[in-house]
Amino acid sequence: MATQNRSKLKQYFETGDTPSSLEFANLIDSTINKQDDEVFVKNQNIGLGIETPKNKLDVFGEGVIGERYAGQASAPENGLLIQGRLGVGTTNANEKLTIDGSVSLRELEAAPEASSGFGKLYVKEDKLVSAELNGEDSYMSMPSLGIADVHDFTICLWFKVLPGKQSRHYLVDFRGDGSKVAHSCGLLIDEVGNGTAVLGHYSVWNANENTSFQENVGRIFGDWHHTVLSRKGDKLTVFLDGKMVSDQPTLGGAVKDSSIPWNNKWRIGTFSGSTNEGGNYWMKGSLDEIALWTRALSQEEIMNVFLAGRGIDLRDKYENGLKSYWRMIESDQLSDSSIHDQMDASRKAVLHNVSFHLDTIKALHFVDSNGNDQILGGSGSVGARTTGPVWNQKSKAIFYETGNVGIGTVNPTTHLDVNGFITKKEVAFSCQSESHVSSGSDKRLSYNNTSINSGKCWDGKRFTAPVKGLYFFTMSYVRDAYYKGGTSDDIQVWIRLNGANKASAWTGQGDGKRATATCNVIFNMKKGDFVETYVTSDGGEKRYLRRCYLSGFRL
């Protein structure tokens, strides 16, 4: 593009003048060309690489800012590289990123095409109600579903089992025909000693056709867990806390023959060996969120229901096929002897020696820009859904007080379990010096060959900590008393922290021509603390260090 200014260009077209072809070319080259320059101005909006900008500045592609990056570095796809500091809502950008105001979080659904929202995290005290069974003639008798032709189904519930008089705890007993006791399937928990248990399912057609499966599930007593019994095709599948624990062919009547009408009452917390209303086995513990679908939920759906935790309304996202739904959250249920089905208020469950218990928890919530509030993560036994004081908020800080946190895992066994990779800024350097000759007072060493400098915290003489943490340093050198008049007397190379000697590598006095020394040290450094190396010796002896090596990294 020509460098002629407007005044010069105007002279080409004064009255009576005939501009030459060169002057016309200068005029054209002094303007922005949409096709050649990919810069477009329309309605006071500027576009870089885009012809229809919608804002004061629209950039199609990547950008870099700063002399170190301009013409040297490539920004990430549709991203921005900034050499200096960035301020958002402030003119005092004292850090690499300074924000004056709140930071919004973006929530993405599982599907790529799902809508997203912006909102904030906060801690809220929630109250959850559960049904308590005493382990002695205590159960819930559910009403008839009136289903005659459904083949597949899914039953899920939250439970907390406590050791009782009986070692077997029946969670669900589902009958396919009221006139035939054997037409049944269900879920049970068996105590096997040492505080451990097995979770199993059973299905029965007659004395000659039945099947059962049990899987050791460890120490589950006293904690909330989520379990699912699902039938699809000829298989019964059992899930615990979102994970499948069995997948077995079925022989049971209620699940083998889809022609059997589901017209019998089904029971929660008991099993009866006869057609009696009561049972022979009882569960001791608590129950919540009992649901039955007339379809087999996918493994992804089952995991998502578990991760959502107690207290969510399954009708919001999983209403498809949801036939029966029993929630322990209605205030009028705390004293009633029966509760109604959320899918059909005319269906009522009869409670036998069942009481209600109110749990108060602190849970992590997300509220989007539309005011929709939801509980984040966790379950009845981990994460945000644990009973008791867990998530807390102090000023703008949200913290986890007790228990374990899992990222990418539903079963954290330590305070923080991460299933996957954590990306953080690497801080490490490694360098060497070919030759150093000095005498007299202590001299700071400089290193002329740096092979690694991740984090750009090393300048050839000094390392500066970018963040607080533990840092490891190692240095070694070769003293040469053969060339350049180097002394064979004592020489020390000190590793200094903020100007103070902390640790040294030392070659002692001797007759040898060369000697080596090494020093390793770990410092607990704050942001801005610095490390240097200094060499010293007795008197005015000449020090010749043939090689010096120094490395360090953040632990």
Side-chain angles (χ1 to χ4, degrees):
M1 182 180 291
T3 57
Q4 302 293 351
N5 57 34
R6 288 188 177 89
S7 177
K8 183 65 175 179
L9 293 172
K10 289 178 180 179
Q11 293 179 12
Y12 296 159
F13 299 91
E14 291 179 349
T15 302
D17 288 346
T18 302
S20 65
S21 59
L22 177 60
E23 291 171 337
F24 269 112
N26 285 340
L27 173 64
I28 293 172
D29 287 341
S30 296
T31 61
I32 297 175
N33 184 277
K34 290 184 178 181
Q35 182 174 345
D36 293 340
D37 303 319
E38 295 186 355
V39 177
F40 311 91
V41 180
K42 183 179 181 181
N43 298 329
Q44 298 181 345
N45 293 336
I46 298 176
L48 299 180
I50 183 171
E51 189 173 359
T52 57
K54 302 298 184 182
N55 305 282
K56 292 297 183 182
L57 176 63
D58 279 9
V59 179
F60 182 86
E62 300 75 38
V64 297
I65 299 176
E67 61 179 358
R68 183 190 302 172
Y69 296 152
Q72 302 294 325
S74 297
E77 184 177 0
N78 293 318
L80 177 67
L81 291 179
I82 300 177
Q83 177 180 340
R85 298 169 180 173
L86 176 62
V88 179
T90 177
T91 58
N92 298 315
N94 298 318
E95 305 293 339
K96 287 293 185 182
L97 175 61
T98 304
I99 300 175
D100 185 4
S102 59
V103 179
S104 296
L105 300 176
R106 184 176 184 181
E107 183 195 48
L108 292 177
E109 299 292 342
E113 67 276 10
S115 61
S116 63
F118 294 86
K120 65 178 181 179
L121 289 170
Y122 72 100
V123 174
K124 179 183 178 182
E125 187 173 87
D126 290 326
K127 298 183 184 298
L128 298 179
V129 180
S130 59
E132 291 199 337
L133 286 68
N134 61 23
E136 300 179 36
D137 193 24
S138 176
Y139 62 96
M140 302 171 63
S141 182
M142 320 304 280
S144 171
L145 296 174
I147 305 173
D149 58 355
V150 173
H151 195 63
D152 298 341
F153 66 85
T154 301
I155 300 174
C156 78
L157 56 88
W158 286 91
F159 72 92
K160 179 172 66 174
V161 173
L162 301 175
K165 290 185 177 181
Q166 296 175 324
S167 61
R168 173 162 288 186
H169 304 262
Y170 278 87
L171 304 178
V172 177
D173 181 38
F174 191 67
R175 300 296 173 93
D177 189 340
S179 64
K180 297 181 179 181
V181 178
H183 300 165
S184 64
C185 63
L187 281 170
L188 59 87
I189 295 286
D190 267 343
E191 301 177 31
V192 294
N194 299 321
T196 61
V198 295
L199 171 66
H201 72 67
Y202 61 90
S203 58
V204 181
W205 172 244
N206 56 45
N208 297 318
E209 290 185 289
N210 61 80
T211 186
S212 64
F213 180 86
Q214 293 186 333
E215 179 75 15
N216 194 305
V217 290
R219 300 177 181 273
I220 66 172
F221 291 100
D223 293 320
W224 280 102
H225 294 275
H226 184 259
T227 189
V228 172
L229 177 66
S230 181
R231 191 276 172 96
K232 185 173 184 180
D234 65 345
K235 287 186 177 182
L236 274 178
T237 307
V238 178
F239 293 80
L240 179 68
D241 293 341
K243 294 183 177 180
M244 184 172 63
V245 296
S246 76
D247 188 10
Q248 298 290 316
T250 62
L251 295 173
V255 293
K256 177 183 178 182
D257 189 349
S258 62
S259 66
I260 297 176
W262 291 5
N263 57 11
N264 191 34
K265 297 178 181 179
W266 48 302
R267 301 177 179 89
I268 300 295
T270 187
F271 171 81
S272 175
S274 66
T275 57
N276 295 332
E277 175 67 21
N280 304 116
Y281 299 93
W282 320 99
M283 171 195 168
K284 183 177 182 180
S286 303
L287 295 167
D288 196 6
E289 296 289 334
I290 303 165
L292 185 148
W293 288 264
T294 54
R295 66 181 179 92
L297 268 65
S298 68
Q299 292 191 32
E300 181 181 2
E301 287 178 310
I302 291 171
M303 175 61 77
N304 289 337
V305 169
F306 161 66
L307 292 176
R310 290 172 61 207
I312 70 158
D313 193 332
L314 294 174
R315 292 170 294 184
D316 292 341
K317 292 185 178 181
Y318 307 99
E319 191 171 16
N320 178 28
L322 184 59
K323 179 68 175 179
S324 188
Y325 187 27
W326 306 86
R327 309 193 73 198
M328 314 300 166
I329 63 171
E330 304 296 333
S331 59
D332 60 354
Q333 294 176 358
L334 295 178
S335 58
D336 287 353
S337 59
S338 66
I339 56 176
H340 67 267
D341 190 340
Q342 297 291 316
M343 306 307 295
D344 185 348
S346 66
R347 289 199 296 259
K348 292 185 180 294
V350 180
L351 309 182
H352 299 264
N353 299 319
V354 175
S355 60
F356 291 96
H357 178 72
L358 182 65
D359 292 330
T360 301
I361 69 169
K362 289 183 178 180
L364 189 62
H365 282 245
F366 175 83
V367 58
D368 63 24
S369 57
N370 296 321
N372 299 315
D373 196 321
Q374 60 181 298
I375 300 171
L376 290 185
S379 71
S381 59
V382 293
R385 309 308 300 146
T386 303
T387 301
V390 181
W391 290 101
N392 285 277
Q393 187 168 6
K394 184 177 182 181
S395 185
K396 295 183 179 180
I398 295 176
F399 60 94
Y400 197 68
E401 189 175 37
T402 59
N404 301 330
V405 176
I407 300 177
T409 174
V410 296
N411 295 306
T413 57
T414 63
H415 289 319
L416 176 62
D417 274 8
V418 179
N419 181 18
F421 296 98
I422 298 177
T423 302
K424 66 177 183 179
K425 183 178 180 181
E426 294 179 339
V427 179
F429 74 98
S430 184
C431 58
Q432 75 175 59
S433 175
E434 293 295 329
S435 177
H436 171 88
V437 179
S438 65
S439 60
S441 59
D442 298 356
K443 292 293 190 296
R444 183 172 68 168
L445 296 177
S446 61
Y447 298 79
N448 54 15
N449 184 4
T450 298
S451 58
I452 295 176
N453 191 12
S454 297
K456 308 299 182 183
C457 301
W458 169 253
D459 65 4
K461 297 180 181 180
R462 172 184 288 187
F463 172 84
T464 304
V467 294
K468 180 181 179 181
L470 295 175
Y471 293 82
F472 173 82
F473 299 91
T474 180
M475 80 85 48
S476 60
Y477 67 92
V478 178
R479 181 198 67 191
D480 194 330
Y482 184 80
Y483 292 104
K484 300 187 179 181
T487 181
S488 62
D489 205 346
D490 292 343
I491 292 179
Q492 294 185 74
V493 175
W494 284 94
I495 299 178
R496 291 186 177 183
L497 175 62
N498 298 331
N501 290 340
K502 294 297 182 180
S504 70
W506 188 350
T507 49
Q509 184 176 358
D511 296 331
K513 300 301 183 183
R514 294 187 179 91
T516 62
T518 301
C519 176
N520 302 314
V521 66
I522 296 176
F523 293 138
N524 188 0
M525 302 177 68
K526 301 187 298 294
K527 179 181 179 180
D529 286 352
F530 60 91
V531 166
E532 300 166 309
T533 54
Y534 278 76
V535 61
T536 184
S537 61
D538 293 337
E541 299 289 345
K542 181 179 289 187
R543 303 175 290 254
Y544 178 34
L545 305 183
R546 186 66 182 86
R547 293 282 192 277
C548 295
Y549 304 91
L550 179 65
S551 298
F553 57 87
R554 182 188 176 199
L555 297 175

